[in-house]
């Protein structure tokens, strides 16, 4: 069975600090996709990034970067020079490969509540 | 370009009642998934619909049922409501599997259900 663990329940940092959110996953599939979503107080899940299991290249998008390491089954998310607007709950999620008649529901971690203090 | 639309935004029901939640997918998407998010938890997959059929179900009892209409919109029905059904119910739309996971899922803002 697939599982996503976000061990950090809450992180609080001062604005402009760098912060890393950890994500560890478990899956028996060799083909799978990993996602990060941001959930502001409004409730909507905002898509940040998707990674497939064959692409271990790290990715940078502005102040955001992601480190995917299959050897440790981790997909960590770093925010550089954090801002108050980054405050939200962040979720890591996993989707295993489609096979046979299966569908592709996401398995989410419990989320990390990130608080950026001014 | 409208995203995913869910209605109502908030709902209060009494234990034992039945509730129907609605979702309109993003334009161009034909697959709808439903998730339950309890307070302080991550979303949990309920089921996914495409081609008007339930394609996959998570670990939820039969009290949870759904429907997808020819215009790809969807309903989530919950019967015999329990206090533990209080949660944020999120709808996500996408392309059908396996394309969906390659292009991602678009979520709505959810329906906040409170059972009293």
């Amino acid at each position: 069975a697939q599982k996503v663990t976000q061990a950090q329940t809450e992180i609080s940092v001062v604005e402009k600090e760098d912060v890393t959110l950890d994500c560890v996953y478990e899956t028996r599939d060799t083909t799978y996709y990993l996602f990060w979503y941001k959930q502001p107080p409004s409730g909507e899940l905002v898509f940040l990034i998707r990674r497939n299991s064959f692409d271990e290249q790290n990715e940078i998008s502005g102040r955001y970067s992601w480190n995917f390491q299959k050897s440790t089954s981790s997909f960590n998310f770093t925010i550089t020079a954090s801002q108050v607007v980054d405050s939200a709950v962040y979720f890591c999620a996993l989707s295993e490969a489609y096979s046979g008649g299966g569908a592709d529901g996401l398995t989410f971690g419990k989320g990390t509540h990130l608080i950026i203090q001014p | 370009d409208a995203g995913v639309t869910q209605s109502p935004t908030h709902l209060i029901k009494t234990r034992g009642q039945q509730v129907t939640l609605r979702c309109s997918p993003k334009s161009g998407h034909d697959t709808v998934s439903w998730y339950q998010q309890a307070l302080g938890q991550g979303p949990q997959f309920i089921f996914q619909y495409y081609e008007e059929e339930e394609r996959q179900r998570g670990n939820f009892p039969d009290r949870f049922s759904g429907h997808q209409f020819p215009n790809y919109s969807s309903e989530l029905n919950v019967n015999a409501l329990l206090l533990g059904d209080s949660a944020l119910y999120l709808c996500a739309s996408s392309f059908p599997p396996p394309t969906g996971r390659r292009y991602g899922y678009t979520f709505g803002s959810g329906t906040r259900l409170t059972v009293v």
Side-chain angles (χ1 to χ4, degrees):
Chain A
Q2 52 189 354
K3 183 179 178 181
V4 176
T5 301
Q6 294 180 256
Q8 304 150 310
T9 304
E10 183 174 289
I11 300 175
S12 181
V13 300
V14 177
E15 197 172 22
K16 298 184 183 177
E17 287 186 10
D18 298 347
V19 59
T20 295
L21 309 182
D22 297 333
C23 173
V24 175
Y25 62 92
E26 295 176 27
T27 177
R28 286 175 288 191
D29 271 14
T30 56
T31 303
Y32 51 88
Y33 287 77
L34 295 163
F35 301 80
W36 275 96
Y37 283 89
K38 174 181 180 180
Q39 187 175 45
S42 62
E44 181 177 351
L45 287 169
V46 178
F47 169 78
L48 296 177
I49 190 173
R50 174 193 66 254
R51 249 313 174 246
N52 73 54
S53 53
F54 298 110
D55 183 1
E56 285 195 74
Q57 284 191 351
N58 292 331
E59 182 160 337
I60 299 175
S61 176
R63 298 184 295 106
Y64 296 171
S65 63
W66 291 269
N67 182 3
F68 176 29
Q69 292 194 343
K70 288 179 73 172
S71 61
T72 56
S73 297
S74 65
F75 186 41
N76 297 337
F77 172 34
T78 297
I79 302 175
T80 304
S82 60
Q83 299 177 2
V84 172
V85 293
D86 295 326
S87 297
V89 181
Y90 290 84
F91 290 97
C92 181
L94 167 70
S95 177
E96 292 178 331
Y98 173 78
S99 60
D104 58 358
L106 289 168
T107 296
F108 284 85
K110 291 188 176 181
T112 297
H113 185 198
L114 178 62
I115 301 168
I116 310 297
Q117 300 178 15
Chain B
D1 181 23
V4 176
T5 304
Q6 292 188 243
S7 63
T9 54
H10 294 84
L11 203 52
I12 299 176
K13 288 288 190 177
T14 303
R15 193 170 38 180
Q17 284 188 317
Q18 179 264 344
V19 68
T20 298
L21 310 181
R22 295 176 176 82
C23 172
S24 293
K26 178 180 176 180
S27 177
H29 286 173
D30 56 7
T31 297
V32 174
S33 303
W34 286 92
Y35 291 82
Q36 180 196 66
Q37 185 179 15
L39 197 61
Q41 301 294 314
Q44 293 206 331
F45 176 72
I46 302 174
F47 42 51
Q48 183 177 75
Y49 277 84
Y50 62 94
E51 296 179 341
E52 301 180 45
E53 289 188 19
E54 181 183 300
R55 299 294 181 165
Q56 185 186 32
R57 171 179 280 264
N59 189 25
F60 280 82
D62 292 344
R63 297 187 298 109
F64 290 77
S65 63
H67 188 77
Q68 185 178 36
F69 299 94
N71 67 353
Y72 310 125
S73 66
S74 176
E75 289 182 348
L76 165 64
N77 301 294
V78 186
N79 295 321
L81 284 166
L82 304 173
L83 296 179
D85 295 331
S86 295
L88 178 67
Y89 288 84
L90 293 163
C91 172
S93 74
S94 64
F95 298 112
T99 308
R101 65 174 62 82
R102 288 205 289 270
Y103 291 92
Y105 311 87
T106 302
F107 282 83
S109 296
T111 294
R112 174 74 61 187
L113 173 64
T114 302
V115 182
V116 297

